[in-house]
Amino acid sequence: MTNTSQQIGLSFWAKTDLATRAEARRLLSAVVEEGADDFVGLFYNAFLADDEASTFLSHSVVHERLGKSLRGWLIELLCADPDAGFEAFDERQKQIGEIHARIKIPIHLVMAGSSLLKSEVSARLLEKDADRNTVIVALMLMSELVDYAIRQMSQAYVVGTTRRAQVDEAYRLVSLGQDVSLERESQRAALMEWGQSVLFGLFGNAGSAPPEPISQSAFGLWLRHRAGMMFQGASSLEGIEDAVQQVDRVLLPKIDEARAEGGDRLQDVLRRLQASIEEIKYLLNDLFQSVAGMENARDPMTKALNRRFLPSILSREVALANSSGSSLTLLMIDVDHFKQINDKWGHLAGDTVLRQIAEVIMDNVRPCDFVFRYGGEEFLVALVETPEGAGVDIAERVRRQFMEHKLQLPDGDAITATVSIGVAGHRGHPDYAYLIDLADKALYRAKTLGRNRVEIDSAVAAE
Amino acid sequence: MTNTSQQIGLSFWAKTDLATRAEARRLLSAVVEEGADDFVGLFYNAFLADDEASTFLSHSVVHERLGKSLRGWLIELLCADPDAGFEAFDERQKQIGEIHARIKIPIHLVMAGSSLLKSEVSARLLEKDADRNTVIVALMLMSELVDYAIRQMSQAYVVGTTRRAQVDEAYRLVSLGQDVSLERESQRAALMEWGQSVLFGLFGNAGSAPPEPISQSAFGLWLRHRAGMMFQGASSLEGIEDAVQQVDRVLLPKIDEARAEGGDRLQDVLRRLQASIEEIKYLLNDLFQSVAGMENARDPMTKALNRRFLPSILSREVALANSSGSSLTLLMIDVDHFKQINDKWGHLAGDTVLRQIAEVIMDNVRPCDFVFRYGGEEFLVALVETPEGAGVDIAERVRRQFMEHKLQLPDGDAITATVSIGVAGHRGHPDYAYLIDLADKALYRAKTLGRNRVEIDSAVAAE
């Protein structure tokens, strides 16, 4: 039986004798039952302190339900027998964590609430006129039980939140994967349609209905219910939203006034409306263009992998190497004096150099290796199942080939460029950032030692 | 100053007088400095109890670094002055949370470690021959500080883990979005190439090298380093991995033996090898086919949205409705006696009915609304910015149109089918599952009240 409470992390409790346990449980139950409503209030206040969470707390159903379920949770957790097994209880905590993930109650808020709760229950326990040792054991039991419950909840919350993030992203990409050009044209048309309806309205009777706000048009609805998800966080999206607000709040009311006056005043407002529509059209185009590049797996110029996917790939490869005991080597490759090439021959020459270095690299690695565009003139190569020594050989081959190879520039000139390469073999460290750092330092050494050379990471050099 | 400690949740501490604070801090510092190594060991043990985390803990760099940084963290956290401001400290906890997200140390493990730590530090404090009140205040301070740090860490951990899940999913989809047929053919070719090289090897000298394991071939490398990410969790992927292991561990060693014997024995082993290659080829085809459907936003037959995206869309719409105060109404639509239609006219007739109901629904809603295929013969419609009353009108229109409409079956027959519809308007509850449940109950009522009718959710009916 003691095993159960120890397994779930009640380590203080597990070391307490049975007589004190019984006393402590009685004391804790009394305090919890007495103060349950106050404790629920504390938890609630922690939620209210958060802007996001407080918006839905105002809902009466939530208030009532949350209050009830918090109370039930508290009593079930703190008045139950911790030595009687926890399976059903475990299940409950996980369900709560899943619900929190679904309705987006952040885990740190739940933790803040539980911290307040622990402090308050502790204070009440200490006020009790009971044996000092019993009070301490009751306090520790309470604290260990709350921590245990929050731990179970957090685990389920993280699983649920992660799954959600994946599906959200999948939906976003799948939406974008539909016919994007068609979508862009449809929305442009919807925008023009709204503009037209405003203008036609102006030629109607003076007493006719005021123009429909753009935010209520098909375009406005699309903006709120589709674009927000598809173009999450894009700056042109914010621009469009601002322009739409500006039209509805400032221009449309002016049109109505100017219409009565007519003449120059109306002309002026209409010119401003036209400018706003043009601006939205421009931003809309921008918005659709911005995703075209973002969603590419590869850099369009060099065909190397997008750096954005580096964490996904490297953390998987490092974990794979650790679990299967296979090797993994990184090459960090940088074009020497790239700035001078750019300055002297122009950026078209620079692009040529970059394209060719990417080609040389890809010709020297297998399809299962990963070549990333890491920075402007930097490439990162992950050689899977390749020991450091073999990695050095490949790096040397790349360096030599590039040096021996005259680069044809667009204007007919031919130049030679060189590369410096840092090599780092994975030796078990679970953080891929650590391995990148080693390769980076090795590259730095190659640079300071005169460029056009291959250096191994210093961790190995020091061995 | 007291404000700072209260803001970060040291609520017990904030209620303590200054003289006791000073005493308690001295006591806590002494205990922490004395026992720091033991406490670090406890934390470490909590990590070791987890299979995944323990695999990389064996690494010596980690062991040494983690030990050092845990010690530093403990002392910085528990020996610092909690009334002196927490900005730099906050930053540190966030960084730790980000690192945990990157190297995938689950937050519940960190919480388990911190719980053990709190119990042990408490036990040591209680052993001290100090004033009882001082001991209690020191214990509470320690507990509140640890909770605070874990809370900061968790917040950063969840943000980091969520971002990672998004990028992982994006990479997976973007990889799949490349030319999948080309990829499939390349890998089929790589598999065949390996098989061929084994056979050619058999005609070489008896003393020549044994055949290359399939797991080491280009196909094997692709399987480990590409397919794992692209086809995460697909059952045919496991099948292929099993078959590959079987070939390398069982068949290849037999080939080498049989080669010396020759004759029937060799024939037999080669027949088995051929069968294995065929099996892998079959599973590979299956693997590529399985993703074709999964990644669709829409059900191919009815063109309604894939149910998989329901959480992404509805939680966003519910949040939008709550923050902007706009309305949202769900319709749950079910074809009456669908099973009988299927039984009597065959499943092609059933499909026709489903396609037509989807068409009728989509003709009656705007492009900004969402129509999901919810179950076999069930559709869920989310009408954005639509009050419940307007939702009922739309539901009635759909019901009537469908009833008045003769359905042409593939074999020339014409039948009439009806639908039952449950309507539920959003009234602020943050959990979209609650709203679906209301619509579901309304549908159930429509069914029990005789079908071919529209019912509103009972929450409103009761008002």
Side-chain angles (χ1 to χ4, degrees):
Chain A
M1 292 266 249
T2 7
N3 211 8
T4 313
S5 54
Q6 188 146 28
Q7 272 174 358
I8 65 159
L10 307 189
S11 54
F12 193 98
W13 181 252
K15 287 180 202 144
T16 306
D17 64 280
L18 293 176
T20 315
R21 286 191 196 187
E23 280 299 314
R25 277 196 51 212
R26 253 193 297 277
L27 179 66
L28 179 59
S29 294
V31 166
V32 169
E33 274 159 18
E34 261 171 48
D37 291 335
D38 298 345
F39 302 145
V40 166
L42 274 175
F43 228 111
Y44 218 81
N45 283 340
F47 286 167
L48 278 176
D50 182 86
D51 285 345
E52 228 182 300
S54 67
T55 55
F56 66 71
L57 276 178
S58 55
H59 186 56
S60 60
V61 181
V62 180
H63 192 103
E64 195 195 319
R65 288 201 168 197
L66 189 61
K68 257 191 218 158
S69 53
L70 263 172
R71 207 177 193 285
W73 176 79
L74 253 181
I75 289 176
E76 186 184 15
L77 177 67
L78 299 180
C79 302
D81 182 359
D83 301 315
F86 275 82
E87 287 73 19
F89 196 75
D90 254 29
E91 222 19 73
R92 201 82 45 87
Q93 308 313 308
K94 281 178 188 153
Q95 278 168 14
I96 298 173
E98 279 162 18
I99 294 173
H100 288 175
R102 195 165 65 217
I103 64 178
K104 297 187 180 168
I105 295 192
I107 191 69
H108 67 95
L109 226 57
V110 178
M111 290 166 80
S114 74
S115 221
L116 279 179
L117 173 78
K118 284 192 287 185
S119 297
E120 185 60 23
V121 179
S122 300
R124 302 266 180 118
L125 281 168
L126 291 166
E127 282 166 12
K128 283 284 166 188
D129 187 25
D131 169 63
R132 233 29 199 161
N133 189 37
T134 309
V135 169
I136 297 288
V137 170
L139 191 157
M140 291 302 297
L141 171 63
M142 179 276 298
S143 177
E144 291 186 334
L145 280 172
V146 171
D147 282 3
Y148 151 74
I150 300 295
R151 203 155 63 233
Q152 300 295 321
M153 246 178 239
S154 302
Q155 189 171 2
Y157 171 82
V158 170
V159 171
T161 299
T162 307
R163 199 185 303 124
R164 260 291 290 290
Q166 273 175 348
V167 179
D168 283 2
E169 182 66 11
Y171 175 64
R172 196 178 69 80
L173 287 172
V174 162
S175 306
L176 283 175
Q178 312 295 315
D179 195 338
V180 174
S181 329
L182 179 68
E183 183 85 359
R184 188 190 57 216
E185 293 311 306
S186 305
Q187 295 316 319
R188 241 157 57 106
L191 177 65
M192 296 305 124
E193 212 174 329
W194 172 82
Q196 209 183 64
S197 79
V198 172
L199 292 176
F200 274 125
L202 285 179
F203 293 103
N205 298 329
S208 65
E212 180 196 33
I214 182 167
S215 61
Q216 291 305 314
S217 70
F219 177 75
L221 285 167
W222 173 83
L223 195 63
R224 273 198 300 290
H225 299 281
R226 288 292 195 283
M229 189 112 184
M230 287 169 78
F231 303 102
Q232 221 170 21
S235 64
S236 14
L237 183 60
E238 271 177 55
I240 297 176
E241 285 163 345
D242 290 348
V244 162
Q245 276 209 358
Q246 176 75 5
V247 168
D248 280 355
R249 298 209 182 145
V250 181
L251 289 183
L252 290 192
K254 286 217 175 96
I255 287 184
D256 238 29
E257 292 162 31
R259 193 183 179 187
E261 267 182 49
D264 285 356
R265 176 86 201 280
L266 185 61
Q267 287 299 321
D268 177 55
V269 178
L270 286 182
R271 251 195 306 277
R272 286 174 60 192
L273 179 66
Q274 196 178 16
S276 287
I277 294 178
E278 281 305 310
E279 188 197 352
I280 296 174
K281 218 169 78 184
Y282 175 81
L283 288 168
L284 191 65
N285 198 38
D286 208 46
L287 188 65
F288 277 93
Q289 290 241 301
S290 68
V291 293
M294 257 284 289
E295 306 311 335
N296 277 338
R298 292 174 184 281
D299 167 40
M301 186 172 75
T302 63
K303 308 292 172 217
L305 283 161
N306 193 324
R307 185 190 164 134
R308 177 173 177 237
F309 298 122
L310 202 139
S312 300
I313 293 169
L314 283 194
S315 71
R316 193 173 172 276
E317 289 300 331
V318 161
L320 213 58
N322 279 351
S323 65
S324 69
S326 62
S327 53
L328 168 69
T329 294
L330 296 194
L331 310 184
M332 189 72 91
I333 307 176
D334 191 84
V335 181
D336 295 329
H337 302 299
F338 186 72
K339 200 181 165 303
Q340 290 172 26
I341 296 172
N342 252 339
D343 288 350
K344 184 165 175 192
W345 306 94
H347 72 98
L348 281 180
D351 288 358
T352 306
V353 172
L354 290 178
R355 254 195 302 271
Q356 300 211 15
I357 172 76
E359 263 171 40
V360 170
I361 295 171
M362 288 187 214
D363 284 349
N364 279 287
V365 302
R366 300 155 302 172
C368 60
D369 297 319
F370 299 89
V371 179
F372 297 92
R373 176 100 186 256
Y374 190 70
E377 68 265 27
E378 239 178 330
F379 294 85
L380 177 67
V381 183
L383 302 164
V384 304
E385 306 192 21
T386 304
E388 194 171 53
V392 170
D393 294 345
I394 293 168
E396 264 301 335
R397 212 158 61 208
V398 168
R399 187 191 64 81
R400 255 179 290 123
Q401 280 189 20
F402 203 59
M403 192 180 55
E404 287 159 5
H405 188 77
K406 281 259 169 199
L407 298 172
Q408 295 300 323
L409 298 188
D411 62 4
D413 282 319
I415 58 165
T416 310
T418 60
V419 292
S420 298
I421 306 181
V423 182
H426 173 62
R427 277 185 299 282
H429 197 288
D431 191 349
Y432 66 85
Y434 177 80
L435 190 59
I436 294 179
D437 195 45
L438 288 181
D440 227 7
K441 282 183 182 139
L443 170 63
Y444 181 77
R445 252 168 15 124
K447 290 276 180 191
T448 50
L449 290 174
R451 295 188 174 82
N452 187 22
R453 55 190 294 152
V454 173
E455 286 290 324
I456 312 175
D457 73 274
S458 50
V460 124
E463 268 168 21
Chain B
M1 295 266 247
T2 7
N3 213 6
T4 314
S5 55
Q6 187 145 29
Q7 271 174 357
I8 66 158
L10 306 189
S11 54
F12 194 98
W13 181 252
K15 287 178 202 143
T16 306
D17 63 280
L18 291 177
T20 314
R21 286 192 196 185
E23 281 299 315
R25 276 196 52 213
R26 253 194 297 278
L27 179 65
L28 179 60
S29 294
V31 165
V32 169
E33 275 160 16
E34 260 171 47
D37 291 335
D38 299 346
F39 302 146
V40 166
L42 274 175
F43 228 111
Y44 218 81
N45 284 340
F47 286 168
L48 278 175
D50 183 84
D51 285 344
E52 229 181 298
S54 67
T55 56
F56 67 73
L57 277 178
S58 55
H59 185 56
S60 60
V61 181
V62 180
H63 193 104
E64 194 194 320
R65 289 202 166 196
L66 188 60
K68 257 192 217 156
S69 53
L70 262 172
R71 205 175 194 286
W73 175 79
L74 253 181
I75 290 175
E76 187 184 13
L77 178 67
L78 300 181
C79 303
D81 181 1
D83 300 315
F86 276 83
E87 287 72 19
F89 196 75
D90 254 31
E91 221 20 73
R92 200 82 45 88
Q93 308 314 308
K94 280 177 189 155
Q95 278 168 13
I96 297 174
E98 279 162 17
I99 294 174
H100 288 175
R102 196 166 65 216
I103 65 177
K104 297 188 180 166
I105 295 192
I107 191 70
H108 67 94
L109 226 56
V110 177
M111 291 165 82
S114 75
S115 222
L116 279 179
L117 173 77
K118 284 192 285 184
S119 297
E120 185 60 23
V121 179
S122 300
R124 302 265 180 118
L125 282 168
L126 292 166
E127 280 166 13
K128 283 283 166 189
D129 187 24
D131 169 65
R132 229 35 197 159
N133 189 36
T134 309
V135 169
I136 297 287
V137 170
L139 191 157
M140 292 302 295
L141 170 62
M142 180 275 299
S143 175
E144 290 185 335
L145 280 172
V146 171
D147 283 3
Y148 152 73
I150 300 294
R151 202 155 64 233
Q152 300 296 321
M153 246 179 241
S154 303
Q155 189 171 2
Y157 171 82
V158 170
V159 171
T161 299
T162 306
R163 199 185 304 125
R164 260 291 291 289
Q166 272 175 349
V167 179
D168 282 2
E169 181 68 9
Y171 175 65
R172 195 178 70 79
L173 288 172
V174 163
S175 306
L176 283 174
Q178 311 296 314
D179 195 338
V180 174
S181 329
L182 180 68
E183 183 85 358
R184 187 189 58 215
E185 292 311 306
S186 305
Q187 295 316 318
R188 243 159 54 107
L191 176 64
M192 296 306 123
E193 213 173 327
W194 172 81
Q196 211 182 66
S197 78
V198 172
L199 291 177
F200 275 126
L202 284 180
F203 294 104
N205 299 329
S208 65
E212 180 196 32
I214 183 167
S215 62
Q216 291 305 314
S217 70
F219 177 76
L221 285 168
W222 173 82
L223 196 63
R224 274 198 298 291
H225 299 281
R226 288 293 194 284
M229 190 112 183
M230 288 168 76
F231 303 102
Q232 220 170 24
S235 63
S236 12
L237 183 59
E238 272 178 56
I240 296 177
E241 284 164 344
D242 289 348
V244 162
Q245 276 210 358
Q246 176 76 7
V247 167
D248 279 356
R249 298 208 182 146
V250 182
L251 289 182
L252 290 192
K254 286 216 175 97
I255 287 184
D256 239 28
E257 290 162 31
R259 194 183 177 185
E261 268 183 47
D264 285 358
R265 178 82 201 282
L266 186 61
Q267 287 298 321
D268 177 55
V269 178
L270 287 181
R271 252 195 305 276
R272 287 173 61 192
L273 179 66
Q274 196 178 16
S276 287
I277 295 177
E278 282 304 310
E279 189 197 350
I280 296 174
K281 218 169 78 184
Y282 175 82
L283 288 169
L284 191 65
N285 197 37
D286 209 47
L287 188 65
F288 276 94
Q289 291 242 300
S290 69
V291 293
M294 256 285 289
E295 307 312 334
N296 277 338
R298 292 174 184 280
D299 167 40
M301 186 171 75
T302 62
K303 307 291 173 218
L305 282 163
N306 192 324
R307 184 189 165 136
R308 177 173 176 236
F309 298 122
L310 202 139
S312 299
I313 293 169
L314 283 194
S315 70
R316 194 173 172 277
E317 288 302 329
V318 161
L320 211 59
N322 279 351
S323 66
S324 69
S326 61
S327 54
L328 167 69
T329 294
L330 296 193
L331 310 183
M332 188 72 89
I333 307 176
D334 191 86
V335 181
D336 295 328
H337 303 299
F338 186 72
K339 198 179 167 304
Q340 290 172 27
I341 297 172
N342 252 339
D343 289 350
K344 185 165 176 194
W345 306 93
H347 73 98
L348 281 180
D351 289 355
T352 305
V353 172
L354 290 177
R355 254 195 302 270
Q356 301 212 14
I357 171 76
E359 263 172 38
V360 170
I361 294 170
M362 289 187 214
D363 284 350
N364 279 286
V365 302
R366 300 155 303 172
C368 61
D369 298 319
F370 300 89
V371 179
F372 296 92
R373 176 102 186 254
Y374 190 69
E377 68 264 27
E378 238 177 330
F379 294 85
L380 177 67
V381 182
L383 302 163
V384 303
E385 306 191 22
T386 304
E388 195 170 53
V392 170
D393 294 345
I394 293 168
E396 265 301 335
R397 212 158 62 209
V398 168
R399 187 190 66 79
R400 256 179 290 122
Q401 278 190 20
F402 204 59
M403 192 179 57
E404 287 159 4
H405 189 77
K406 280 260 172 200
L407 298 173
Q408 294 301 323
L409 298 189
D411 62 2
D413 282 319
I415 59 167
T416 309
T418 60
V419 292
S420 298
I421 305 181
V423 182
H426 173 63
R427 277 185 299 282
H429 197 288
D431 191 350
Y432 65 85
Y434 177 80
L435 190 59
I436 293 180
D437 194 47
L438 287 182
D440 226 6
K441 282 184 181 136
L443 171 62
Y444 180 78
R445 249 166 21 121
K447 289 279 180 188
T448 50
L449 291 173
R451 295 189 174 79
N452 187 21
R453 56 189 294 153
V454 173
E455 286 291 324
I456 312 175
D457 73 274
S458 51
V460 123
E463 268 168 22

